[in-house]
Amino acid sequence: MTRFLSEGDRIHASIGKSVLHIFNKIINELGLFLMANFIVCQNKERFNTTKHRLMLTFTQRTTVAETIDPLFPMNIFELRPYHQLINKVDVNESELFDVIGEIVNFSEVQTQKQGEITRKYMDIELEDDERNKLSATFWGGIC
């Protein structure tokens, strides 16, 4: 067995539409699971939910069982400070991350048409506890 994760690592797992029905009743948010019989491949996703270079792909042979381990660290957020984003320090445009702030300003919901596709969006301004401000855009059903 090859070990490709170290303690504290995160890895993206993908469940395709063809096998989603097998796992959508088993896997729930914030659960801890033991998994076996998955495919390990390069993480070439457009937007990366983790910094790990590999990702897991579930198949019909993948097995999943929920487990309990009170000592397992549940660090579910990848928080970034505003100053790091504003100054573009160590920022990868394809990486997904979390921020905490208060919405202090927002626009009306607007639409963008590109060919036959129409998308809704809303611009917002967030403020952190040190009064730093950050602009962001909500797309689709979020707005």
Side-chain angles (χ1 to χ4, degrees), residues 4-123:
F4 54 90
L5 287 174
S6 300
E7 186 173 333
D9 279 356
R10 296 171 183 230
I11 192 165
H12 177 86
S14 178
I15 304 173
K17 288 181 184 179
S18 63
V19 294
L20 183 60
H21 67 281
I22 299 170
F23 304 104
N24 65 354
K25 297 281 193 256
I26 301 169
I27 298 175
N28 52 58
E29 195 171 0
L30 299 180
L32 182 60
F33 301 90
L34 299 172
M35 300 170 287
N37 305 321
F38 45 80
I39 297 170
V40 179
C41 56
Q42 290 293 111
N43 186 354
K44 295 182 179 178
E45 296 291 312
R46 182 172 173 210
F47 295 105
N48 299 312
T49 56
T50 70
K51 294 179 181 178
H52 206 287
R53 64 182 179 81
L54 301 174
M55 66 182 280
L56 311 179
T57 301
F58 285 29
T59 69
Q60 290 180 330
R61 300 182 101 177
T62 303
T63 59
V64 176
E66 190 162 14
T67 187
I68 297 171
D69 182 354
L71 300 177
F72 188 86
M74 294 298 284
N75 303 326
I76 60 171
F77 296 108
E78 187 68 41
L79 293 171
R80 289 290 190 91
Y82 283 29
H83 68 84
Q84 191 178 64
L85 302 172
I86 293 166
N87 298 324
K88 297 184 180 178
V89 175
D90 193 30
V91 176
N92 179 341
E93 296 288 331
S94 66
E95 185 182 333
L96 299 177
F97 51 83
D98 301 295
V99 295
I100 294 177
E102 177 183 358
I103 297 176
V104 293
N105 198 4
F106 59 92
S107 70
E108 296 292 323
V109 175
Q110 301 172 55
T111 57
Q112 176 190 50
K113 188 168 183 168
Q114 190 172 18
E116 298 295 315
I117 299 172
T118 302
R119 299 186 301 178
K120 295 189 303 183
Y121 69 96
M122 178 173 63
D123 294 321

